[in-house]
Every structure is written in C-alpha cells, then in structure tokens.
Amino acid sequence: MTLRDDLIRPDEALRDAVIYDKGWTQSVLRLFRRRKKEFNAPLAPDRRVYAVGDIHGRMDLLRDLMDEILLDAQRYEGVADLVFLGDYVDRGEDSRAVLDFLIGLRGRRDINPVYILGNHERMLLDFLEMPEQGPRWLRYGGLQTLMSYGISTPGAVNEPETLAKIRADLSDAMGAHRAFLGQMPLWHRRGNMLFAHAGANPAKGPRDQNEHALLWGHPRFFDTPRDDELWVVHGHTVVEEPEIAQGRIAVDTGAYFSNRLTAVRIDGGEAVFLSV
C-alpha cells in the first residue's frame, strides 16, 4: 500500500501509526483533517488593544515604544487596553526601572494597563519563596536583575548560605515590586482575543489552561489551529519579524539582544505593528 505525499505528510505520528498498525485508518484520517484545518476567524476585540512583547530590562526601548503607543492612542476616542505580555525582568540591565515605569502607568486615564505574568517573573518569585531555585533563575538572566537592585553575588551562587543572603537582600530591595509581580494574571481576554505570555494549549479554553502552557508554551501551540475562533497574542518565542499566522500573533522580537521592542495594535478587524 502506498500513500500520496500530497494527501498525508510522512511525519512522526504517521510513522508511529504504520509501525504499530493499531487504529491505522483512524490515525490517517485524523492527520488528514489536521492538515486541512484552517483558522479563518476575524480579529474582533471589543475595544482597541495594544500588546507589548518581552521587555527584559530594556528601559530605553520601553520608553521609546511607549511614546509611539501613547501618540497613536490619541487618535482613538475610547480607552484602549495596553497589555504587557510578560518577561519584564532579567537579561537587560534595567529590570528595576522597568517595573517602576510599569507601576507608574496605573494612574493614567487614557489607557488601561494590563500586566501578564511571564516565565521570568515566575522564576524570580519562585526564588523568593525557595532560594534553592536560585541557580536556575540566575542562569536565565537573574544576575542582571540583581545588579539593577544593587545586589552583589559574593561567593558561589549555588551555595545555600549565599542563596539565602541574596534572597533576603532582594526581598528587601524589591519592596512593592514583589506584590506587583505576585498579583499578575496569567491571561487577559478581549472579545475573541486571548493574551498570554507563551501561548496556550489549542485544545482548551482560557479558564482550563494550566500555568505551564501559558508561561512556557505548549507543544501543539504552533502547529494546531484552534477550533473556537480565539486568537492568541503572545511573546516568549523570539521572531525576527512580528508575525500573524493561523490565529496567532507573535510580538517578541528579542529586545535584550536585537535592540528592537515590538507592540501590536488590534482594532477594527486589523493588526498593526509598532516597533522601536
């Protein structure tokens, strides 16, 4: 028996189906349906939304991008949501200044800021609760965050005594920042637009998502269009150019190394990218 390449791609799932031969016909049909599925829902938030990609301590880029967003928002009669998609800290040099700036936006009347939790904020909060988690966080850019708070790292950072001291110093230095991070939601929704840091499980609705999928991603997020006409706007995965594909909008352009921070404006059935 032969299979036409234009009907079914010989991917791993198909090979497994051939090897084990159990439910082979049903497996082929499922693969065929998955390939043919397209996402055709319109962009339909119930108000204008701006969504900002991963900042990672780049206060310089955040300031410039906010100037662009606020200027653009002046042409909108209502109050737009301004969704930050997480990863405000680590890797860049100004994590502390970024959090101060974000907190300061809460008093504005021309925009409605929304702050989504990212995996880097989760790692920082985990370290404050469990210092033994420190080495992992520090490898992913936590050292730069400590420096932004004026905290040095004497000795080996994998020693329990050193980690406990760093944790105590950081907890004191963060002040209100710790509560700010601890109150952040994992997702935000406007109309048929879902905003989450790393994407979502395409088989589940927002309220049924687990934290790991929202913060670190899901293995089927990029190859399985959703069935519920829900768009997902996300960061976390770095792209050379912001992109729209199959119900997904990606806006993390790697600010900490590319020197480029990106946002998307979604309104009136269209998405427009703003970058600095």
Side-chain angles (χ1 to χ4, degrees):
M1 180 177 182
T2 61
L3 300 175
R4 287 174 54 192
D5 290 340
D6 62 334
L7 287 180
I8 303 169
R9 65 179 186 273
D11 60 9
E12 182 178 346
L14 179 56
R15 289 196 301 271
D16 290 344
V18 173
I19 291 171
Y20 293 107
D21 196 38
K22 183 177 181 179
W24 187 85
T25 303
Q26 290 80 2
S27 298
V28 169
L29 290 175
R30 283 196 298 270
L31 287 170
F32 180 74
R33 287 195 297 267
R34 189 174 69 205
R35 183 178 182 182
K36 297 297 289 185
K37 184 165 60 176
E38 296 290 335
F39 186 93
N40 297 310
L43 295 163
D46 54 12
R47 69 164 69 176
R48 174 178 289 191
V49 184
Y50 297 88
V52 179
D54 303 27
I55 301 166
H56 278 304
R58 290 299 303 267
M59 185 63 223
D60 54 339
L61 297 178
L62 176 59
R63 187 181 294 109
D64 290 345
L65 183 59
M66 282 303 305
D67 288 343
E68 294 287 334
I69 290 173
L70 293 175
L71 180 63
D72 187 81
Q74 290 178 4
R75 296 186 286 271
Y76 179 62
E77 294 182 358
V79 177
D81 278 3
L82 175 57
V83 181
F84 295 93
L85 292 169
D87 281 8
Y88 317 111
V89 302
D90 299 348
R91 292 178 170 160
E93 297 181 355
D94 297 317
S95 294
R96 183 176 191 171
V98 166
L99 294 181
D100 278 334
F101 183 88
L102 294 176
I103 290 173
L105 293 176
R106 294 189 297 186
R108 298 189 66 100
R109 296 184 177 181
D110 52 345
I111 53 171
N112 173 45
V114 179
Y115 313 99
I116 302 297
L117 190 73
N119 63 304
H120 281 261
E121 288 76 51
R122 171 51 63 204
M123 287 191 289
L124 189 161
L125 291 170
D126 286 348
F127 169 64
L128 292 174
E129 293 293 332
M130 299 171 288
E132 64 272 19
Q133 299 288 329
R136 178 171 180 259
W137 172 56
L138 295 173
R139 286 196 304 271
Y140 281 91
L143 282 172
Q144 289 87 345
T145 296
L146 292 178
M147 292 173 60
S148 76
Y149 284 96
I151 297 171
S152 60
T153 55
V157 295
N158 59 347
E159 294 293 333
E161 296 81 4
T162 301
L163 291 171
K165 184 180 187 308
I166 294 172
R167 180 263 177 202
D169 291 344
L170 179 60
S171 182
D172 290 341
M174 288 187 69
H177 290 177
R178 183 175 182 178
F180 177 57
L181 298 181
Q183 296 169 359
M184 290 180 177
L186 293 171
W187 55 273
H188 177 68
R189 182 171 179 175
R190 278 293 180 188
N192 72 337
M193 311 298 302
L194 175 67
F195 301 85
H197 174 63
N201 182 341
K204 295 184 177 182
R207 298 186 184 280
D208 296 322
Q209 299 286 327
N210 64 48
E211 181 176 289
H212 189 273
L214 297 172
L215 293 182
W216 295 92
H218 189 274
R220 302 313 308 269
F221 175 61
F222 288 104
D223 65 11
T224 305
R226 299 183 66 88
D227 291 323
D228 57 6
E229 298 190 338
L230 191 66
W231 284 82
V232 180
V233 184
H234 67 96
H236 187 68
T237 300
V238 176
V239 291
E240 290 188 12
E241 297 292 335
E243 59 186 31
I244 304 174
Q246 287 292 291
R248 300 177 298 272
I249 301 179
V251 292
D252 179 9
T253 47
Y256 72 95
F257 68 87
S258 70
N259 299 313
R260 187 182 183 198
L261 182 62
T262 297
V264 61
R265 181 190 75 213
I266 307 167
D267 186 26
E270 66 176 6
V272 177
F273 294 111
L274 307 171
S275 292
V276 294

